[in-house]
Amino acid sequence: MTLFEEMRQAIIDGKAPVAKELTEKALIKGIKPADIFPKVIVPAMDEVGHRMRNCEFFIPEVLIAARAARACTDILRPLLVDDAAARSVGTVVCCTVKGDLHDIGKNIVSMMLESAGFRIVDLGADVSPDNIVAAVREHNANLVALSALLTTTMVNMKAVIEGLAAAGLREQVKVMVGGAPVTESWAQSIGADGYGKDAPAAVDLARSLVAA
Amino acid sequence: MEPAKKHRIVLQPIQVELTAPEGTPLRDLLFEQGVEFPCGGRGRCRGCRVRVHEGKVEVNDAQRERLSAEELKNGWRLACQCSLAGDLVVELRQWDAAILADDSPFVFEPRPGLGVAVDLGTTTLVAQLLDLTTGRVLAVRTALNAQARYGADVMSRIEYAIAGDHLPALADLIRRQIWSLIEQMVFSSKARRGEIRDVVLVGNTVMHHLFCGLDVEPLSHYPFESPHTGLQQFRAGDLGWDLNPEAAIRFLPCLGGFVGSDVLAGVLTTRLSESEEIGALVDLGTNGEIVVGNSAGLVCASTAAGPAFEGARISMGMRAATGAISQVAVENQRLVCHVLGNAAPQGLCGSGLVDAVAAGLDLEVIETSGRFSNGRKEWTIALPVELTQSDIRELQLAKGAIAAGFRILLERLGAGVGDVKKLYLAGAFGNYISRASARRIGLIDLPIDQVAPAGNTALLGAKLALFSGDGEDGSYVQLRRKIEHVALKSDAKFQQVFVDGLAFPQPSHVQG
């Protein structure tokens, strides 16, 4: 197995200490930090997403794999400062909407987006439209990812989109929505830019939205 | 205007034939036949699907989103999205619910007159008419909650109540329905309506609010606390019930959050608060409710377990009705299934699902992570019924939520699982689930001789309250003060405990 293969496997298996050790080893060998993202972290988390979609991986496996990926990115990020590749794919403000505390799904999406090279501004759970608007402005975000797990809180997604429009930021950001009760037609009806039916779909969607 | 053209619709396999005007929503026709609409008829789930054998019904976007091209081709439709456009023959996926009424003996102080006890469930209603002198049950009526067509679970019903200002209509609907049950009981038992002195209702917080006409908006979002959880008292005239004007009608107080008087009644029944030993009461449902404690004090919580225990969101899941595999056992390395109604197997109900996964763990077809071993994609339980990987995941979510809630409540008491001497399982599901299988999957981490099915503890508790006197002097009032409600979602540890508890226990742990 090549070093890159070993690193990918350590992430997929959720072995954070191994992933960390191999990352340090790679750096000592002179491998550029910027190369490790596209060759290790992104494909490893894509594989995790694939297995999750097949129900082969479940929440615990996805969370520990994401933790292992984070062990690598924590080492790599500070080294990327002056590198051209340090410019992230995009900046995502993510949270669960007002009234909703169910954030396991949001956490998985944010970690997978982070592994895919996005800069994440995670506002946590139960976040008001005003705070989301403020974060978009402050971080100059180009994506907002909203999650809701209740039919009664899902309606607050609409308030966020209206808030962004009122603040004159709607043109600047794409809004993606997800969560158990959310559907494609709901996303369209509130004027969101996309709907991710699961975490891997959310990553694909985020990539296509920033590319558009 | 000409009257609308009428069409004939035949429902299989129940062989019911109906006639209705063109354009009638199938939802209205089917609801009357006991078909449920889990998402409230919004086209968001697949619960109401029917197969069209003869005739034509339209396909819309909601159906294309929820049904595969192959399913659509084979005639499957979402009943909630269709209306009558011609003669039809359709096959229903659902059957009538088996409702648990209570007939266990109880201790009472005789009083003159008659009383009515009502367990107002989200899905089902049970009402009993009692002779308060003898404690004898004179009549029983059960029904599906008429509000269910506006949402099967509490959240979708709250949404319906808020979205269109439908609260008064929902309150009116349930008050009329319960009155109709009372009238039927009076009629069938030849009792005198004027002798009804006392009516006691119990139900979860949402049912309490929707009956009493209280605003459910506070229950729609975090922190899910309503200011109006107390005892609600009515006179017959307030509700439009033709009873003695002196009759007292009481909806017992909620415990907090979604935990309602049905659980309070359960504690009254199981006497958890009278024992020095720590005991627990668990009601397994979409909202799992848990109470733990002893005479020193009790804590309670509700935890969103999802609908897996009711067979929903399971690929071949169904209610405990004819054709449901309700038990699965392993004999000589082979599966032996019990099918309800002595019929060919059609699906898995909650107890069958728990058994099937426990059997899969014992046969090592399923790993403790919940993954099928050897790259298997599905597992045949009894043809044509299969268990899929995603079914196991749904069950893991449900049991993880209950197990995490139980663990956190015990921590609040400064106790561990080993300190619990008795655990009562309330409700219909608690009656049918195998205790050994529940332990094998880690739903309940107690030796099975300490776990007891307790039947409809809500109804029994409502009956006990009938004998505990008027107003605020009843023993349930003191009891309520002893029970503290814990909001699990506000507990920082909940998420971690939940994720840690998703895997299944190692076999050695369960046998030891």
Side-chain angles (χ1 to χ4, degrees):
Chain A
M1 232 195 287
T2 68
L3 180 58
F4 282 165
E5 278 168 357
E6 274 184 71
M7 292 172 78
R8 287 197 291 267
Q9 199 57 48
I11 292 173
I12 293 166
D13 293 342
K15 293 176 178 159
V18 178
K20 184 170 175 243
E21 196 188 308
L22 291 173
T23 306
E24 283 160 352
K25 194 169 148 192
L27 293 172
I28 292 168
K29 284 180 82 175
I31 295 170
K32 276 200 254 167
D35 285 346
I36 297 178
F37 274 91
K39 291 189 174 147
V40 174
I41 295 168
V42 174
M45 288 309 285
D46 279 350
E47 176 61 22
V48 170
H50 176 72
R51 292 189 186 187
M52 184 188 175
R53 191 170 270 175
N54 287 343
C55 287
E56 202 183 316
F57 268 24
F58 196 39
I59 298 167
E61 289 93 341
V62 176
L63 288 174
I64 59 167
R67 205 181 301 159
R70 186 165 279 174
C72 303
T73 54
D74 282 350
I75 300 173
L76 300 174
R77 288 255 180 249
L79 306 175
L80 286 172
V81 184
D82 295 324
D83 200 307
R87 267 179 289 144
S88 62
V89 188
T91 299
V92 190
V93 168
C94 67
C95 62
T96 75
V97 295
K98 186 88 203 130
D100 208 314
L101 287 189
H102 300 80
D103 63 354
I104 292 181
K106 183 269 299 169
N107 292 345
I108 290 175
V109 169
S110 88
M111 286 194 274
M112 291 189 67
L113 285 173
E114 188 178 22
S115 315
F118 287 89
R119 190 174 147 243
I120 303 297
V121 181
D122 189 339
L123 302 180
D126 184 27
V127 182
S128 70
D130 287 349
N131 289 350
I132 296 169
V133 169
V136 167
R137 184 176 286 134
E138 183 190 338
H139 298 279
N140 197 24
N142 41 4
L143 260 178
V144 173
L146 303 173
S147 166
L149 221 75
L150 298 171
T151 50
T152 49
T153 53
M154 183 170 99
V155 293
N156 294 328
M157 291 175 163
K158 197 174 172 204
V160 175
I161 294 176
E162 287 164 358
L164 288 168
L169 294 168
R170 187 65 186 92
E171 297 301 311
Q172 169 193 331
V173 286
K174 304 279 189 190
V175 179
M176 51 191 267
V177 295
V182 180
T183 60
E184 181 76 51
S185 36
W186 165 255
Q188 281 172 16
S189 74
I190 59 166
D193 299 296
Y195 156 69
K197 89 178 206 347
D198 51 28
V203 175
D204 291 345
L205 176 66
R207 283 176 178 148
S208 72
L209 287 175
V210 290
Chain B
M1 208 174 88
E2 275 192 354
K5 203 172 156 206
K6 292 210 168 194
H7 298 295
R8 201 173 55 97
I9 174 167
V10 180
L11 307 178
Q12 290 178 343
I14 52 175
Q15 288 303 333
V16 168
E17 190 174 324
L18 308 161
T19 311
E22 180 151 319
T24 306
L26 286 197
R27 180 168 92 158
D28 293 351
L29 291 170
L30 299 192
F31 184 80
E32 316 242 299
Q33 303 301 317
V35 172
E36 290 171 41
F37 295 86
C39 73
R42 292 169 175 79
R44 285 194 201 134
C45 73
R46 294 158 48 85
C48 66
R49 64 192 188 280
V50 296
R51 190 172 184 176
V52 178
H53 288 287
E54 287 172 35
K56 262 186 94 133
V57 286
E58 70 272 41
V59 180
N60 61 5
D61 284 348
Q63 297 183 71
R64 277 185 279 268
E65 205 166 295
R66 296 284 159 200
L67 298 167
S68 71
E70 196 186 339
E71 285 174 313
L72 289 168
K73 198 177 124 229
N74 290 334
W76 289 103
R77 297 288 184 274
L78 299 180
C80 69
Q81 299 295 307
C82 301
S83 50
L84 208 55
D87 289 353
L88 277 185
V89 178
V90 299
E91 177 194 334
L92 306 175
R93 280 287 295 172
Q94 298 177 0
W95 280 262
D96 264 346
I99 303 170
L100 199 68
D102 179 85
D103 56 0
S104 43
F106 60 96
V107 188
F108 70 98
E109 298 272 333
R111 295 173 57 204
L114 303 176
V116 175
V118 182
D119 170 25
L120 204 184
T122 311
T123 310
T124 54
L125 307 176
V126 189
Q128 289 189 342
L129 177 68
L130 288 104
D131 182 334
L132 299 178
T133 324
T134 62
R136 218 158 55 87
V137 175
L138 303 176
V140 186
R141 280 292 181 279
T142 60
L144 291 172
N145 187 327
Q147 295 174 339
R149 76 168 81 181
Y150 304 110
D153 61 281
V154 292
M155 288 320 277
S156 44
R157 220 168 295 171
I158 289 173
E159 187 196 356
Y160 179 80
I162 301 171
D165 197 16
H166 291 119
L167 176 64
L170 284 176
D172 188 54
L173 190 62
I174 192 66
R175 290 170 179 187
R176 278 169 194 268
Q177 191 184 17
I178 291 172
W179 171 242
S180 147
L181 296 182
I182 295 174
E183 271 193 312
Q184 290 169 33
M185 292 193 296
V186 167
F187 181 79
S188 72
S189 64
K190 302 188 173 65
R192 275 209 292 259
R193 176 192 296 183
E195 285 181 24
I196 295 178
R197 300 284 173 90
D198 215 336
V199 180
V200 169
L201 301 109
V202 297
N204 64 48
T205 308
V206 180
M207 293 309 108
H208 169 271
H209 279 46
L210 292 179
F211 178 91
C212 300
L214 299 166
D215 184 13
V216 286
E217 197 279 332
L219 295 169
S220 72
H221 53 81
Y222 175 79
F224 305 103
E225 290 291 349
S226 164
H228 306 292
T229 54
L231 174 76
Q232 296 285 324
Q233 303 188 76
F234 302 92
R235 292 291 170 191
D238 305 335
L239 302 172
W241 292 3
D242 186 15
L243 286 178
N244 185 331
E246 296 302 310
I249 300 159
R250 294 175 284 163
F251 205 121
L252 299 196
C254 310
L255 293 174
F258 287 108
V259 189
S261 47
D262 49 346
V263 177
L264 175 68
V267 179
L268 207 57
T269 306
T270 52
R271 300 171 170 232
L272 289 183
S273 64
E274 291 168 31
S275 167
E276 279 182 29
E277 290 182 336
I278 293 182
L281 172 68
V282 177
D283 190 342
L284 298 168
T286 305
N287 252 319
E289 281 129 2
I290 309 164
V291 189
V292 193
N294 60 5
S295 50
L298 300 113
V299 284
C300 72
S302 68
T303 174
F309 295 133
E310 276 140 32
R313 292 237 300 262
I314 300 302
S315 56
M316 296 196 70
M318 62 184 288
R319 294 187 68 99
T322 305
I325 297 175
S326 63
Q327 290 168 34
V328 182
V330 180
E331 283 174 23
N332 301 323
Q333 299 289 303
R334 295 186 50 171
L335 296 182
V336 181
C337 298
H338 176 76
V339 182
L340 293 176
N342 197 24
Q346 285 173 341
L348 276 169
C349 66
S351 59
L353 174 69
V354 171
D355 275 357
V357 172
L361 290 164
D362 284 343
L363 294 173
E364 296 180 357
V365 171
I366 301 171
E367 297 171 1
T368 54
S369 69
R371 199 181 309 172
F372 274 129
S373 53
N374 304 323
R376 186 189 280 274
K377 297 273 181 270
E378 66 275 305
W379 184 37
T380 304
I381 306 301
L383 280 169
V385 179
E386 292 181 330
L387 184 76
T388 68
Q389 184 66 72
S390 106
D391 297 342
I392 302 172
R393 300 312 191 186
E394 289 289 339
L395 183 64
Q396 285 179 277
L397 291 175
K399 74 105 186 173
I402 300 281
F406 192 45
R407 206 159 280 266
I408 287 181
L409 286 183
L410 281 170
E411 264 180 39
R412 287 288 172 111
L413 292 176
V417 176
D419 298 318
V420 180
K421 299 298 175 214
K422 191 90 188 173
L423 187 144
Y424 297 96
L425 287 174
F429 184 58
N431 248 27
Y432 303 123
I433 189 175
S434 147
R435 289 168 286 167
S437 297
R439 186 162 199 225
R440 181 65 192 90
I441 67 162
L443 173 62
I444 293 159
D445 191 15
L446 281 180
I448 59 170
D449 58 354
Q450 286 169 236
V451 180
N456 189 339
T457 56
L459 186 67
L460 189 49
K463 286 195 279 185
L464 292 174
L466 276 177
F467 294 94
S468 72
D470 286 346
E472 292 285 331
D473 300 327
S475 61
Y476 62 86
V477 178
Q478 285 125 37
L479 184 57
R480 188 194 179 207
R481 290 195 197 106
K482 285 176 81 169
I483 309 175
E484 184 202 347
H485 175 252
V486 175
L488 292 178
K489 283 284 162 200
S490 309
D491 192 305
K493 270 186 292 190
F494 181 77
Q495 193 132 303
Q496 193 56 47
V497 175
F498 171 68
V499 171
D500 290 346
L502 286 173
F504 296 115
Q506 299 291 340
S508 57
H509 170 81
V510 179
Q511 281 151 10

